[in-house]
Amino acid sequence: MRGNTRITVHPSFEVLAATTAARLITRLLDVQSERGEATVVLTGGSVGIATLKAVAESPARLAVNWSKVNFWWGDDRFVSADSPDRNHVQAAEALLDHIEVDPARVHVMKPADAGLDVAQAAAEYAEQLAAAALAEHRASDDYDGDAGAPLLPRFDVLLLGIGPDAHIASLFPEMAGIRTKDAAVVSVTNSPKPPPERVSLTLGTINSADEIWLVAAGSDKAGAVALALAGASPVQVPASGANGRSRTRWLVDEDAAAKVPGALIARLDA
Ligand code: 6PG
């Protein structure tokens, strides 16, 4: 945990989703007013999807120019394109189908029926990231040729759900994905949370984000939240390893915060 970590405890799941939606709208608006476009990395999971639904239901969503928002995913389930298990499908139903997005800015992980195996789907997503990074770099004033070009685009806000085992995206405790340092994206073939096959950003890619917002609700997340905030090893407690460059926000409900020492909450709730 770094000095830029903050925690906000909310009275309920609904308030958490509504507040996170309001934060997201405001953050995208602020970034757009500085740079014209903004980039968000979405998560699956209950709070992540409820947040998107709350964005769609908020009158304030109209303040954002959604056609200039770049969408990426922290992970997706490697199942058929139209499966309700797809994080992309859930995000589309909750938000993307209700706003004016630019399809070219919606960067979906390949599904299982796209003719690639799961490892190829991970490699293809790394290529999408690298292509976007290069385009961004070329468009900026400081571009100095391909040498040293970044492999990752700028992520303004990256959302992460947390599992009861403290997994984030599809990086599970003790498994290969959380240990992977030499790739931007990994494939997972034995996820303990179904479905077994997934594609996930690696921790290094996640931590390239300017702001990371970890969202969690429910008493089954309390142990994971407390261990992560206590600074457990990321290999055992993946959520512990998430650190945004400028800010790491823990946005939780009272049940998920129940095992975090009050003194720590008081210190981080600034
Ligand atoms: C997924 C997720 C995963 C999720 C957590 C929390 O694809 O399953 O991206 O990392 O965010 O498991 O999910 P819940 O909030 O539903 O428990």
Coordinates of all heavy atoms in Angstrom, one line a residue, residues 78 118 170-172 175 177 186-192 196-200:
F78 N -13.5 -16.3 -21.2 CA -13.3 -16.8 -22.5 C -14.4 -17.8 -22.9 O -14.3 -19.1 -22.8 CB -11.9 -17.5 -22.6 CG -11.5 -17.8 -24.1 CD1 -11.3 -16.8 -25.0 CD2 -11.3 -19.1 -24.5 CE1 -10.9 -17.0 -26.3 CE2 -10.9 -19.4 -25.8 CZ -10.7 -18.3 -26.7
V118 N -7.3 -19.5 -26.1 CA -7.3 -18.5 -25.1 C -5.9 -17.8 -25.0 O -5.9 -16.6 -24.7 CB -7.8 -19.1 -23.7 CG1 -6.8 -20.2 -23.2 CG2 -8.0 -18.0 -22.7
S170 N -8.6 -11.4 -13.4 CA -8.6 -12.9 -13.3 C -7.2 -13.3 -12.8 O -6.6 -14.3 -13.3 CB -9.0 -13.6 -14.6 OG -10.4 -13.4 -14.8
L171 N -6.6 -12.6 -11.9 CA -5.4 -12.9 -11.3 C -5.7 -13.5 -9.9 O -6.1 -12.8 -9.0 CB -4.5 -11.7 -11.1 CG -4.2 -10.9 -12.4 CD1 -3.4 -9.7 -12.1 CD2 -3.5 -11.8 -13.4
F172 N -5.5 -14.8 -9.8 CA -5.9 -15.6 -8.6 C -4.7 -15.9 -7.8 O -3.6 -16.1 -8.3 CB -6.7 -16.9 -9.0 CG -8.0 -16.6 -9.7 CD1 -8.0 -16.4 -11.1 CD2 -9.2 -16.4 -9.0 CE1 -9.2 -16.1 -11.8 CE2 -10.3 -16.1 -9.6 CZ -10.4 -16.0 -11.0
M175 N -1.5 -18.4 -8.4 CA -1.5 -19.0 -9.8 C -0.6 -18.2 -10.7 O 0.0 -17.2 -10.3 CB -3.0 -19.0 -10.3 CG -3.8 -20.0 -9.5 SD -5.5 -20.2 -10.0 CE -5.2 -20.8 -11.7
G177 N -0.9 -16.4 -13.3 CA -1.2 -15.0 -13.8 C -0.6 -13.9 -12.8 O 0.0 -12.9 -13.3
V186 N -2.4 -12.0 -19.8 CA -2.3 -13.5 -19.7 C -3.6 -14.2 -19.9 O -4.6 -13.6 -19.8 CB -1.8 -13.9 -18.2 CG1 -0.3 -13.6 -18.0 CG2 -2.7 -13.2 -17.2
S187 N -3.4 -15.5 -20.3 CA -4.5 -16.4 -20.4 C -4.6 -17.2 -19.1 O -3.6 -17.5 -18.5 CB -4.4 -17.2 -21.6 OG -3.2 -18.0 -21.6
V188 N -5.8 -17.6 -18.7 CA -6.0 -18.4 -17.6 C -6.8 -19.6 -18.0 O -7.8 -19.4 -18.7 CB -6.8 -17.6 -16.5 CG1 -7.1 -18.5 -15.3 CG2 -6.1 -16.3 -16.1
T189 N -6.4 -20.8 -17.6 CA -7.1 -22.0 -18.1 C -7.8 -22.8 -16.9 O -8.5 -23.7 -17.2 CB -6.2 -22.9 -18.9 OG1 -5.1 -23.2 -18.1 CG2 -5.8 -22.3 -20.2
N190 N -7.4 -22.4 -15.7 CA -8.0 -23.1 -14.6 C -8.4 -22.2 -13.5 O -8.1 -22.4 -12.3 CB -6.9 -24.1 -14.0 CG -5.6 -23.4 -13.8 OD1 -5.4 -22.2 -14.1 ND2 -4.6 -24.1 -13.3
S191 N -9.3 -21.2 -13.9 CA -9.8 -20.3 -12.9 C -10.6 -21.0 -11.8 O -11.5 -21.8 -12.2 CB -10.6 -19.2 -13.6 OG -11.4 -18.6 -12.6
P192 N -10.3 -20.7 -10.6 CA -11.2 -21.3 -9.5 C -12.6 -20.8 -9.5 O -13.5 -21.4 -9.0 CB -10.5 -21.0 -8.2 CG -9.3 -20.1 -8.5 CD -9.2 -19.9 -10.0
P196 N -13.8 -21.5 -16.3 CA -12.3 -21.7 -16.1 C -11.4 -20.9 -17.0 O -10.3 -20.6 -16.6 CB -12.2 -23.2 -16.3 CG -13.3 -23.6 -17.1 CD -14.5 -22.7 -16.8
E197 N -11.8 -20.7 -18.2 CA -10.9 -20.0 -19.2 C -11.2 -18.5 -19.2 O -12.4 -18.1 -19.4 CB -11.0 -20.6 -20.6 CG -10.5 -22.0 -20.6 CD -10.3 -22.5 -22.1 OE1 -11.3 -22.3 -22.9 OE2 -9.3 -23.0 -22.4
R198 N -10.1 -17.7 -19.1 CA -10.3 -16.2 -19.0 C -9.0 -15.6 -19.6 O -8.0 -16.2 -19.8 CB -10.3 -15.8 -17.5 CG -11.6 -16.2 -16.9 CD -11.4 -16.4 -15.4 NE -12.7 -16.6 -14.7 CZ -13.4 -15.7 -14.1 NH1 -13.0 -14.4 -14.1 NH2 -14.6 -15.9 -13.6
V199 N -9.2 -14.3 -19.9 CA -8.1 -13.5 -20.3 C -8.0 -12.3 -19.3 O -9.0 -11.8 -18.9 CB -8.3 -12.9 -21.7 CG1 -7.2 -11.9 -22.1 CG2 -8.4 -14.1 -22.7
S200 N -6.8 -12.0 -18.9 CA -6.6 -10.9 -17.8 C -5.4 -10.1 -18.1 O -4.4 -10.5 -18.5 CB -6.4 -11.6 -16.5 OG -6.3 -10.7 -15.4

